[in-house]
Amino acid sequence: MPDFKNEPYTDFSIAANRQSMEAALAKVRSEFGREYDLSIAGERLRTPDKLKSVNPSNPTEIVGIHQKATPAMASKAIEAAHSFFPEWSRTNPASRIAMLRRAAQSIRSRKMEFDAWLVYEAGKSWPEAEADVCEAIDFCEYYALEMERLSGPQPVSQLPGERDEMRYIPLGVGLIIPPWNFPLAIMAGMTTAALVTGNTVVLKPSSETPTIAARFAEALLEAGFPERSFSLLTGSGSAIGDLLVQNPKTRFIAFTGSRDVGLRINELAAKHQPGQLWIKRVIAEMGGKDAIVVDAGADIDKAVEGVAVSAFGYQGQKCSACSRAIVDERIYDQFLEKLQARVGGIRVGPANDPSNYMGPVISNSARRSILDYIEVGKREGRLVAGGAAENGDGYFIQPTVIADVEPGAKIFQEEIFGPVLAVSKAKNFERALEMANDSQYGLTGAVYSNDPEHIRQARERFFVGNLYVNRKCTGAMVGAHPFGGFNLSGTDSKAGGPDYLLLFLQAKAIAEKIVN
Ligand code: NAP
């Protein structure tokens, strides 16, 4: 894709950029506690029951007050999307592409404000927030370019006496269900992929990060997407999710989130409903239990750094986070000693303070669940770093490393989704690869090695959707690293890659007889 370039990251080591970010944080803070409407195809609604999102660095602070959609509102949103679909699906793709480029520009023009919302509502550090916002811009620009490629006739062979053609058309009403951990990028990617291809959208954002969704919806409107092209349906997934998925007018579901919710959506969507004219399509991106393999001859310092940032960046709350380090026994002790020192230097505290590398985890229930896993881990292995909650007002947890973990252990197998790393010893590279593949997931993985034959074996046998060699296993870039995993990590889709928009389209072939 010669025309695509990733959005450059703001360099916060430059004083002027730091000042702009401080100003954005102050502006956003001044907007805390505002109430946002729910919107069904442009109709603004309020409900008696409210959803309050809080600052996980200081949960007494209410970031935004949102509506809780009722089942009747959920049905109404699908109906509204269904009724606008014929008109929206026939708009010229060029005008939808132009809207998407304006959406990218709209987010870009207030990048630090979006950064600040991510710091306060999702607990992201400045650089993590910046990476999320840049990725959202990248998705918009990349899918705009991709839609240029996919709109218009596609190459097919021509039979004598016929004009043969194939073109892509949209599917219908898309239900978009993002998670909270990339509350802007993933939401923007799934929503804009659906819209630019000519589908209408019902967006049900995560209950943890509804304010970022409301801000994104404003950017879509500013970019010219018609009010009727999408609804923003805040509210609890467990209360309205099943209804939205089961509605016979829902044509497809793009979901990113946990394994269990993804499997439930897949199961419910597969059941044909009375009046339903299609087989629903499910695009599901689910959990991970990502491993980094460290080979005997690897550069240990680089491997320690890669493991530390992959495990503890954004508090380990990335689907791509390294939660298992599998290390050759010949360098195991040396690796652990260096890792322990590196992790000991990680500062934890409020995400708005840029001197903290780690902020809070997203919620109190997440903190409880992670601390429970840590207690299990203390029995399953040897605690070498962290192991407890961190002091402070927010949902802070110490970066935790548990060594000598066997593959059968719960903390080796289950997604914890927090700052907890299991370190395991392997007798050789062959065994390390086997251990890495011993998982129900298959999202990301990395190998640190200087042995070309071992690297070749990893390329061939490490069963993950995104494999990295001699670098960290997080930080996929739109365009260069199409993202998505195998096994129970999802439906093998690749966000930010050339296959992705096809998931939101269907192909129509037309043959016209021109000579008798
Ligand atoms: P989650 O609990 O599964 O929630 C994801 C979304 O599903 C939220 O919007 C949630 O709404 C909604 N939901 C909940 N119950 C539902 C139901 N019955 N029907 C329909 N929707 C429902 O996941 P999360 O905690 O937000 O995100 C963390 C998970 O996402 C981790 O497992 C992580 O690995 C995964 N993830 C995967 C990728 C990837 O690319 N593979 C990327 C990022 C994250 P409420 O918030 O209202 O409950």
Side-chain angles (χ1 to χ4, degrees):
M1 291 214 95
D3 294 338
F4 178 73
K5 290 210 168 40
N6 295 108
E7 181 71 15
Y9 290 168
T10 303
D11 180 352
F12 291 116
S13 68
I14 295 170
N17 291 339
R18 282 201 303 279
Q19 279 158 15
S20 305
M21 184 63 184
E22 294 288 1
L25 286 164
K27 178 170 189 293
V28 160
R29 174 172 276 282
S30 74
E31 294 173 43
F32 274 13
R34 191 184 129 185
E35 183 163 350
Y36 297 82
D37 296 335
L38 169 162
S39 139
I40 298 183
E43 188 187 350
R44 315 268 149 183
L45 296 165
R46 293 203 170 187
T47 55
D49 220 5
K50 306 294 177 196
L51 171 70
K52 290 182 180 151
S53 82
V54 300
N55 173 7
S57 297
N58 182 356
T60 58
E61 293 177 334
I62 310 266
V63 174
I65 299 171
H66 298 265
Q67 315 307 318
K68 276 192 184 167
T70 62
M73 288 174 181
S75 306
K76 192 173 168 182
I78 299 284
E79 286 295 336
H82 183 70
S83 72
F84 190 56
F85 176 68
E87 189 179 330
W88 178 242
S89 63
R90 284 197 287 269
T91 50
N92 186 344
S95 78
R96 299 196 301 263
I97 292 167
M99 288 173 203
L100 189 46
R101 293 206 164 108
R102 286 198 297 271
Q105 188 47 36
S106 167
I107 298 171
R108 189 181 286 120
S109 68
R110 54 180 82 93
K111 212 171 163 194
M112 290 212 190
E113 224 174 291
F114 271 109
D115 283 351
W117 285 111
L118 284 148
V119 166
Y120 280 133
E121 195 169 51
K124 294 213 168 189
S125 67
W126 294 16
E128 293 288 352
E130 173 73 8
D132 194 323
V133 177
C134 288
E135 190 177 3
I137 297 169
D138 283 350
F139 278 134
C140 295
E141 295 286 4
Y142 185 86
Y143 295 149
L145 264 176
E146 274 295 286
M147 192 57 199
E148 276 178 353
R149 181 172 71 85
L150 296 172
S151 49
Q154 301 297 306
V156 287
S157 60
Q158 300 294 317
L159 284 187
E162 278 189 7
R163 186 179 299 124
D164 296 309
E165 191 184 315
M166 187 186 87
R167 53 177 65 242
Y168 290 114
I169 63 169
L171 294 169
V173 177
L175 174 58
I176 309 294
I177 310 181
W180 50 262
N181 73 326
F182 279 83
L184 186 62
I186 291 181
M187 175 177 57
M190 296 198 297
T191 305
T192 61
L195 285 172
V196 79
T197 44
N199 303 285
T200 49
V201 159
V202 175
L203 168 60
K204 207 304 287 169
S206 165
S207 296
E208 306 289 357
T209 50
T211 313
I212 292 159
R215 295 292 163 160
F216 170 65
E218 286 166 12
L220 287 181
L221 292 177
E222 188 182 292
F225 283 98
E227 287 195 315
R228 293 179 68 200
S229 64
F230 70 96
S231 293
L232 177 64
L233 214 57
T234 45
S236 151
S238 55
I240 55 168
D242 289 1
L243 263 175
L244 288 165
V245 171
Q246 287 169 315
N247 192 304
K249 290 184 177 150
T250 299
R251 174 65 181 86
F252 69 97
I253 300 115
F255 165 81
T256 306
S258 61
R259 179 198 62 182
D260 292 351
V261 174
L263 288 176
R264 179 176 178 81
I265 288 173
N266 193 46
E267 187 179 338
L268 292 179
K271 173 130 180 50
H272 179 260
Q273 301 293 333
Q276 185 180 315
L277 293 179
W278 41 70
I279 297 171
K280 288 176 189 166
R281 198 179 281 181
V282 176
I283 307 150
E285 304 287 323
M286 290 138 61
K289 188 73 195 175
D290 310 304
I292 295 185
V293 169
V294 186
D295 197 6
D299 180 325
I300 297 183
D301 292 328
K302 287 197 176 125
V304 164
E305 187 58 24
V307 167
V309 298
S310 303
F312 302 116
Y314 190 35
Q315 297 78 266
Q317 300 174 115
K318 298 181 190 178
C319 52
S320 56
C322 171
S323 51
R324 299 179 292 156
I326 301 168
V327 184
D328 190 292
E329 64 182 13
R330 281 161 285 185
I331 54 161
Y332 185 81
D333 291 338
Q334 206 186 343
F335 173 89
L336 254 188
E337 198 179 309
K338 289 185 175 209
L339 182 69
Q340 195 175 24
R342 171 68 176 81
V343 173
I346 292 178
R347 274 180 62 119
V348 185
N352 54 308
D353 176 349
S355 63
N356 292 321
Y357 179 77
M358 272 176 54
V361 299
I362 191 69
S363 65
N364 198 28
S365 63
R367 182 168 63 165
R368 272 201 308 270
S369 151
I370 297 162
L371 290 173
D372 284 350
Y373 270 113
I374 290 176
E375 291 313 309
V376 172
K378 285 175 185 169
R379 295 192 293 274
E380 290 182 329
R382 173 168 57 99
L383 183 72
V384 293
E390 185 61 277
N391 295 334
D393 297 329
Y395 305 130
F396 303 116
I397 296 185
Q398 296 168 350
T400 296
V401 179
I402 296 167
D404 309 344
V405 177
E406 294 295 330
K410 203 170 148 107
I411 66 157
F412 189 94
Q413 294 292 341
E414 295 183 12
E415 186 183 44
I416 301 171
F417 220 56
V420 184
L421 173 73
V423 185
S424 306
K425 193 186 280 185
K427 70 174 188 298
N428 55 32
F429 188 76
E430 172 79 21
R431 177 65 189 140
L433 268 191
E434 253 174 47
M435 288 164 70
N437 283 336
D438 179 2
S439 173
Q440 57 179 293
Y441 297 108
L443 190 47
T444 77
V447 169
Y448 280 86
S449 176
N450 286 329
D451 181 333
E453 174 53 20
H454 286 174
I455 292 173
R456 191 196 64 73
Q457 286 170 13
R459 284 174 172 266
E460 189 178 281
R461 303 214 304 267
F462 199 159
F463 194 62
V464 289
N466 288 76
L467 176 65
Y468 300 101
V469 179
N470 289 325
R471 52 150 284 175
K472 62 180 181 165
C473 68
T474 53
M477 298 299 288
V478 171
H481 313 135
F483 189 81
F486 303 148
N487 294 345
L488 289 177
S489 292
T491 48
D492 317 314
S493 55
K494 282 283 188 256
D499 307 338
Y500 192 67
L501 287 194
L502 292 175
L503 301 169
F504 298 80
L505 291 162
Q506 55 196 334
K508 179 171 182 175
I510 303 163
E512 183 180 352
K513 193 89 178 156
I514 49 175
V515 182
N516 281 320

